[in-house]
Amino acid sequence: MRLYLQDARDVFLWKLEGLSEYDIRRPLTPTGTNLLGLVKHVTGAEGFYFGGVFGRPVDAPELWIAGDAEPDADLWATADETRDGIVAQYRRVWAHSDETIEALDLDTTGRLPGGEGREITLHRALVHMVAETQRHAGHADVVRELIDGATGQREKGRNMAPGDAARWADHRARVERAAREAAAG
């Protein structure tokens, strides 16, 4: 499972490569999804699940859904927060997460904060974070493609069919035709 988690972590860093400050921060969906905000969010999620839940707190962005932060505070970067700072924090938090995973047995239980204080095993937290991180890596895939057309899971060995811009334009037109035909009945 750690391989899948690390693979998704690496995707986030690759998605930031070669882009301007504006491009990594700009909202590309109606809800404001942006690349640097996704990195900040998964940093907070790892800090929450592999830190506080198991009594191993780490300095990470507070998740709005799990604390007192303003709504969506973990999903975007302020002008004062730097790319280098957010990436460095992500690397520190994932190192801390890896230490938690190494130090504890998978059946070790931690406690989710809140009224019920529900227990969760490290195994369940790990499965959750693999799913969470991969889900947001998919968001990063789409956002990066909208910015500059870069696609795939990694720069080399991309998991996309080969093709140049013309091939992709033809493919997109074919998909559009099928959608229109299906809608027409």
PDB file of all heavy atoms in Angstrom, residues 98-113:
ATOM      1  N   ASP A  98       5.483   8.194   7.074  1.00  0.00           N
ATOM      2  CA  ASP A  98       6.215   6.945   6.861  1.00  0.00           C
ATOM      3  C   ASP A  98       6.782   6.412   8.176  1.00  0.00           C
ATOM      4  O   ASP A  98       6.781   5.200   8.417  1.00  0.00           O
ATOM      5  CB  ASP A  98       7.328   7.138   5.834  1.00  0.00           C
ATOM      6  CG  ASP A  98       6.797   7.306   4.413  1.00  0.00           C
ATOM      7  OD1 ASP A  98       5.595   7.034   4.175  1.00  0.00           O
ATOM      8  OD2 ASP A  98       7.584   7.722   3.541  1.00  0.00           O
ATOM      9  N   GLU A  99       7.251   7.313   9.038  1.00  0.00           N
ATOM     10  CA  GLU A  99       7.751   6.892  10.346  1.00  0.00           C
ATOM     11  C   GLU A  99       6.632   6.279  11.187  1.00  0.00           C
ATOM     12  O   GLU A  99       6.847   5.279  11.880  1.00  0.00           O
ATOM     13  CB  GLU A  99       8.377   8.080  11.088  1.00  0.00           C
ATOM     14  CG  GLU A  99       9.679   8.546  10.484  1.00  0.00           C
ATOM     15  CD  GLU A  99      10.161   9.876  11.075  1.00  0.00           C
ATOM     16  OE1 GLU A  99       9.565  10.358  12.069  1.00  0.00           O
ATOM     17  OE2 GLU A  99      11.142  10.415  10.525  1.00  0.00           O
ATOM     18  N   THR A 100       5.442   6.875  11.134  1.00  0.00           N
ATOM     19  CA  THR A 100       4.295   6.319  11.861  1.00  0.00           C
ATOM     20  C   THR A 100       3.971   4.925  11.345  1.00  0.00           C
ATOM     21  O   THR A 100       3.773   3.997  12.129  1.00  0.00           O
ATOM     22  CB  THR A 100       3.063   7.243  11.718  1.00  0.00           C
ATOM     23  OG1 THR A 100       3.369   8.516  12.305  1.00  0.00           O
ATOM     24  CG2 THR A 100       1.834   6.655  12.374  1.00  0.00           C
ATOM     25  N   ILE A 101       3.948   4.776  10.031  1.00  0.00           N
ATOM     26  CA  ILE A 101       3.628   3.479   9.426  1.00  0.00           C
ATOM     27  C   ILE A 101       4.675   2.436   9.811  1.00  0.00           C
ATOM     28  O   ILE A 101       4.333   1.279  10.090  1.00  0.00           O
ATOM     29  CB  ILE A 101       3.486   3.625   7.898  1.00  0.00           C
ATOM     30  CG1 ILE A 101       2.294   4.524   7.553  1.00  0.00           C
ATOM     31  CG2 ILE A 101       3.360   2.259   7.222  1.00  0.00           C
ATOM     32  CD1 ILE A 101       2.291   5.055   6.133  1.00  0.00           C
ATOM     33  N   GLU A 102       5.934   2.828   9.837  1.00  0.00           N
ATOM     34  CA  GLU A 102       7.017   1.920  10.229  1.00  0.00           C
ATOM     35  C   GLU A 102       6.960   1.565  11.711  1.00  0.00           C
ATOM     36  O   GLU A 102       7.238   0.437  12.095  1.00  0.00           O
ATOM     37  CB  GLU A 102       8.384   2.539   9.916  1.00  0.00           C
ATOM     38  CG  GLU A 102       8.754   2.496   8.463  1.00  0.00           C
ATOM     39  CD  GLU A 102       8.989   1.090   7.942  1.00  0.00           C
ATOM     40  OE1 GLU A 102       9.600   0.262   8.654  1.00  0.00           O
ATOM     41  OE2 GLU A 102       8.546   0.818   6.815  1.00  0.00           O
ATOM     42  N   ALA A 103       6.618   2.540  12.548  1.00  0.00           N
ATOM     43  CA  ALA A 103       6.691   2.353  13.996  1.00  0.00           C
ATOM     44  C   ALA A 103       5.533   1.540  14.565  1.00  0.00           C
ATOM     45  O   ALA A 103       5.678   0.907  15.607  1.00  0.00           O
ATOM     46  CB  ALA A 103       6.733   3.722  14.686  1.00  0.00           C
ATOM     47  N   LEU A 104       4.395   1.562  13.897  1.00  0.00           N
ATOM     48  CA  LEU A 104       3.197   0.935  14.456  1.00  0.00           C
ATOM     49  C   LEU A 104       2.767  -0.280  13.643  1.00  0.00           C
ATOM     50  O   LEU A 104       2.988  -0.339  12.434  1.00  0.00           O
ATOM     51  CB  LEU A 104       2.049   1.952  14.492  1.00  0.00           C
ATOM     52  CG  LEU A 104       2.312   3.258  15.249  1.00  0.00           C
ATOM     53  CD1 LEU A 104       1.128   4.197  15.092  1.00  0.00           C
ATOM     54  CD2 LEU A 104       2.627   2.995  16.704  1.00  0.00           C
ATOM     55  N   ASP A 105       2.147  -1.226  14.314  1.00  0.00           N
ATOM     56  CA  ASP A 105       1.542  -2.364  13.620  1.00  0.00           C
ATOM     57  C   ASP A 105       0.281  -1.893  12.919  1.00  0.00           C
ATOM     58  O   ASP A 105      -0.378  -0.948  13.374  1.00  0.00           O
ATOM     59  CB  ASP A 105       1.175  -3.470  14.611  1.00  0.00           C
ATOM     60  CG  ASP A 105       2.395  -4.113  15.251  1.00  0.00           C
ATOM     61  OD1 ASP A 105       3.434  -4.194  14.569  1.00  0.00           O
ATOM     62  OD2 ASP A 105       2.297  -4.515  16.423  1.00  0.00           O
ATOM     63  N   LEU A 106      -0.089  -2.566  11.851  1.00  0.00           N
ATOM     64  CA  LEU A 106      -1.271  -2.162  11.090  1.00  0.00           C
ATOM     65  C   LEU A 106      -2.560  -2.259  11.902  1.00  0.00           C
ATOM     66  O   LEU A 106      -3.530  -1.566  11.605  1.00  0.00           O
ATOM     67  CB  LEU A 106      -1.395  -2.990   9.807  1.00  0.00           C
ATOM     68  CG  LEU A 106      -0.371  -2.677   8.723  1.00  0.00           C
ATOM     69  CD1 LEU A 106      -0.556  -3.623   7.541  1.00  0.00           C
ATOM     70  CD2 LEU A 106      -0.472  -1.228   8.261  1.00  0.00           C
ATOM     71  N   ASP A 107      -2.578  -3.089  12.949  1.00  0.00           N
ATOM     72  CA  ASP A 107      -3.786  -3.204  13.765  1.00  0.00           C
ATOM     73  C   ASP A 107      -3.793  -2.243  14.956  1.00  0.00           C
ATOM     74  O   ASP A 107      -4.730  -2.230  15.755  1.00  0.00           O
ATOM     75  CB  ASP A 107      -4.018  -4.635  14.225  1.00  0.00           C
ATOM     76  CG  ASP A 107      -2.881  -5.192  15.075  1.00  0.00           C
ATOM     77  OD1 ASP A 107      -1.841  -4.521  15.199  1.00  0.00           O
ATOM     78  OD2 ASP A 107      -3.045  -6.312  15.604  1.00  0.00           O
ATOM     79  N   THR A 108      -2.783  -1.377  15.058  1.00  0.00           N
ATOM     80  CA  THR A 108      -2.760  -0.348  16.099  1.00  0.00           C
ATOM     81  C   THR A 108      -3.947   0.583  15.889  1.00  0.00           C
ATOM     82  O   THR A 108      -4.248   0.974  14.761  1.00  0.00           O
ATOM     83  CB  THR A 108      -1.448   0.461  16.029  1.00  0.00           C
ATOM     84  OG1 THR A 108      -0.353  -0.424  16.199  1.00  0.00           O
ATOM     85  CG2 THR A 108      -1.415   1.549  17.083  1.00  0.00           C
ATOM     86  N   THR A 109      -4.617   0.926  16.964  1.00  0.00           N
ATOM     87  CA  THR A 109      -5.763   1.824  16.840  1.00  0.00           C
ATOM     88  C   THR A 109      -5.391   3.236  17.276  1.00  0.00           C
ATOM     89  O   THR A 109      -4.608   3.438  18.193  1.00  0.00           O
ATOM     90  CB  THR A 109      -6.974   1.343  17.679  1.00  0.00           C
ATOM     91  OG1 THR A 109      -6.589   1.214  19.032  1.00  0.00           O
ATOM     92  CG2 THR A 109      -7.518   0.032  17.142  1.00  0.00           C
ATOM     93  N   GLY A 110      -5.976   4.170  16.579  1.00  0.00           N
ATOM     94  CA  GLY A 110      -5.880   5.577  16.905  1.00  0.00           C
ATOM     95  C   GLY A 110      -7.286   6.089  17.110  1.00  0.00           C
ATOM     96  O   GLY A 110      -8.264   5.358  16.897  1.00  0.00           O
ATOM     97  N   ARG A 111      -7.407   7.338  17.497  1.00  0.00           N
ATOM     98  CA  ARG A 111      -8.729   7.893  17.778  1.00  0.00           C
ATOM     99  C   ARG A 111      -8.958   9.141  16.946  1.00  0.00           C
ATOM    100  O   ARG A 111      -8.164  10.079  16.983  1.00  0.00           O
ATOM    101  CB  ARG A 111      -8.839   8.209  19.260  1.00  0.00           C
ATOM    102  CG  ARG A 111     -10.219   8.652  19.669  1.00  0.00           C
ATOM    103  CD  ARG A 111     -10.425   8.632  21.162  1.00  0.00           C
ATOM    104  NE  ARG A 111     -10.249   7.337  21.786  1.00  0.00           N
ATOM    105  CZ  ARG A 111     -11.151   6.343  21.803  1.00  0.00           C
ATOM    106  NH1 ARG A 111     -12.301   6.518  21.191  1.00  0.00           N
ATOM    107  NH2 ARG A 111     -10.912   5.215  22.414  1.00  0.00           N
ATOM    108  N   LEU A 112     -10.051   9.114  16.189  1.00  0.00           N
ATOM    109  CA  LEU A 112     -10.457  10.292  15.437  1.00  0.00           C
ATOM    110  C   LEU A 112     -10.991  11.334  16.416  1.00  0.00           C
ATOM    111  O   LEU A 112     -11.730  10.983  17.338  1.00  0.00           O
ATOM    112  CB  LEU A 112     -11.538   9.935  14.415  1.00  0.00           C
ATOM    113  CG  LEU A 112     -11.098   9.006  13.281  1.00  0.00           C
ATOM    114  CD1 LEU A 112     -12.315   8.513  12.501  1.00  0.00           C
ATOM    115  CD2 LEU A 112     -10.137   9.720  12.353  1.00  0.00           C
ATOM    116  N   PRO A 113     -10.627  12.588  16.237  1.00  0.00           N
ATOM    117  CA  PRO A 113     -11.145  13.609  17.148  1.00  0.00           C
ATOM    118  C   PRO A 113     -12.631  13.837  16.904  1.00  0.00           C
ATOM    119  O   PRO A 113     -13.173  13.452  15.874  1.00  0.00           O
ATOM    120  CB  PRO A 113     -10.329  14.845  16.785  1.00  0.00           C
ATOM    121  CG  PRO A 113      -9.851  14.616  15.406  1.00  0.00           C
ATOM    122  CD  PRO A 113      -9.756  13.126  15.223  1.00  0.00           C
TER     123      PRO A 113
END
